[in-house]
Amino acid sequence: MKLLRFGPPGHERPGLLDRNGVIRDLSGVVSDIGPATLTEDGLAHLRTLDTDRLAQVPDGARLGPCVTGVSKVVCVGLNYRAHAAESGLPEPAEPVLFMKATTSICGPNDPVQMPRGATKLDWEVELGIVIGRTARYVDQADAFDHIAGYCVLNDVSERAFQTESTGQWVKGKSADSFCPIGPWMVTRDEVPDPQALRLWLEVDGQPMQDSTTADMIFGVAEIVSYISRFMTLLPGDVIATGTPQGVALGRGPNHPWLQPGQTMRLGVEGLGEQRQSVRAFEG
């Protein structure tokens, strides 16, 4: 299944994408695509529906973040071999973890706002994991049982905030609109091998990133197991699994950073595409 949320910001309704690519309204079935819906029982109930009987959503409806009720966004840094190499850093011996504020979550096609004082805005296409079952000290062999599905995630970053001042990476990762997720969450059963997915990103039509999840240093199961040793993962939580090579940071000192007016287009094989325009801070 491809589960999604549609409607104005703050007033999204639950939906799904049917086999013909038509968005169907689930608001008469579930209250939202959140923790209760993402459990094994919740997803099993949705699989019994005759989607042809569900109301169609009018064309042009805004897509919101594909899940709600996210208690945390946990990110893995330097998790692609080629990205570590372009960064001039050794491959980490264990996953490098950091967080993004949940207030950074937005819809897959919502504008990305350049924060006040930003000078080095960057892109990062990533495979996102959505947790469906509470995970605490989970063995790697059992990790997939705790995953509800996967989504496209853009780990938008401000590199000066991230690396050129004191403190942790979270400052350069957490501005409003810095975590577009969606367009939909694809349930785990429809992604037989998450380590064999192409992911890519363009800026103004120019290819910037093009790789596969096979280049990950730590795979999906290991990531879920590892994180669950240090914190409890709850249904609805999102994990950003790292980005491949091709970010602005790795392209040399003279490569331009993202600027207002530019457009990012990105996707992960089988999980859909996102498109975001960059805007100057408003407000």
Side-chain angles (χ1 to χ4, degrees):
M1 292 183 295
K2 295 179 174 67
L3 303 179
L4 54 87
R5 302 170 66 246
F6 65 93
H11 300 279
E12 291 91 349
R13 299 167 67 177
L16 61 76
L17 191 74
D18 72 13
R19 62 186 179 279
N20 297 314
V22 175
I23 296 177
R24 301 284 182 167
D25 190 343
L26 282 173
S27 57
V29 181
V30 294
S31 60
D32 214 333
I33 307 299
T37 305
L38 296 170
T39 63
E40 291 183 15
D41 289 344
L43 295 177
H45 173 59
L46 294 182
R47 290 190 181 96
T48 67
L49 298 175
D50 179 357
T51 58
D52 292 338
R53 298 174 65 88
L54 299 171
Q56 294 188 29
V57 175
D59 292 340
R62 169 190 173 268
L63 294 179
C66 56
V67 295
T68 190
V70 182
S71 80
K72 51 188 167 294
V73 180
V74 189
C75 308
V76 183
L78 296 173
N79 194 34
Y80 282 71
R81 294 173 180 86
H83 177 50
E86 75 173 352
S87 302
L89 296 169
E91 295 182 9
E94 57 185 89
V96 177
L97 302 183
F98 62 94
M99 311 288 279
K100 290 177 83 80
T102 55
T103 48
S104 68
I105 295 173
C106 66
N109 304 316
D110 290 346
V112 167
Q113 289 200 40
M114 192 168 183
R116 289 178 180 173
T119 57
K120 297 182 177 180
L121 193 65
D122 207 347
W123 55 82
E124 292 193 11
V125 61
E126 306 202 10
L127 171 68
I129 300 170
V130 180
I131 297 297
R133 177 180 169 191
T134 300
R136 184 184 300 111
Y137 297 110
V138 172
D139 290 337
Q140 188 170 328
D142 300 323
F144 286 111
D145 294 338
H146 297 262
I147 295 174
Y150 305 93
C151 64
V152 183
L153 185 151
N154 190 356
D155 179 14
V156 183
S157 307
E158 210 298 332
R159 302 300 189 187
F161 296 174
Q162 178 185 351
T163 63
E164 296 176 12
S165 58
T166 59
Q168 300 178 341
W169 288 1
V170 65
K171 291 191 297 186
K173 298 285 189 173
S174 293
D176 292 353
S177 76
F178 270 27
C179 189
I181 56 173
W184 32 75
M185 185 203 78
V186 180
T187 51
R188 185 184 75 236
D189 58 298
E190 294 191 7
V191 185
D193 186 359
Q195 303 306 149
L197 304 176
R198 177 179 174 246
L199 64 172
W200 54 272
L201 181 144
E202 301 173 350
V203 176
D204 290 342
Q206 297 299 310
M208 295 296 173
Q209 294 183 277
D210 195 339
S211 185
T212 80
T213 54
D215 193 45
M216 282 186 183
I217 298 168
F218 307 102
V220 165
E222 185 172 2
I223 287 169
V224 172
S225 175
Y226 181 85
I227 294 173
S228 76
R229 291 167 48 192
F230 303 100
M231 65 192 80
T232 299
L233 294 168
L234 300 175
D237 284 352
V238 174
I239 300 173
T241 58
T243 198
Q245 76 279 9
V247 297
L249 180 67
R251 290 177 171 268
N254 297 321
H255 192 275
W257 304 94
L258 282 169
Q259 298 295 328
Q262 292 190 293
T263 298
M264 291 177 283
R265 181 170 167 262
L266 58 146
V268 178
E269 181 181 354
L271 306 184
E273 298 182 6
Q274 300 183 354
R275 185 183 181 92
Q276 297 114 24
S277 59
V278 180
R279 295 183 181 175
F281 179 79
E282 300 174 358

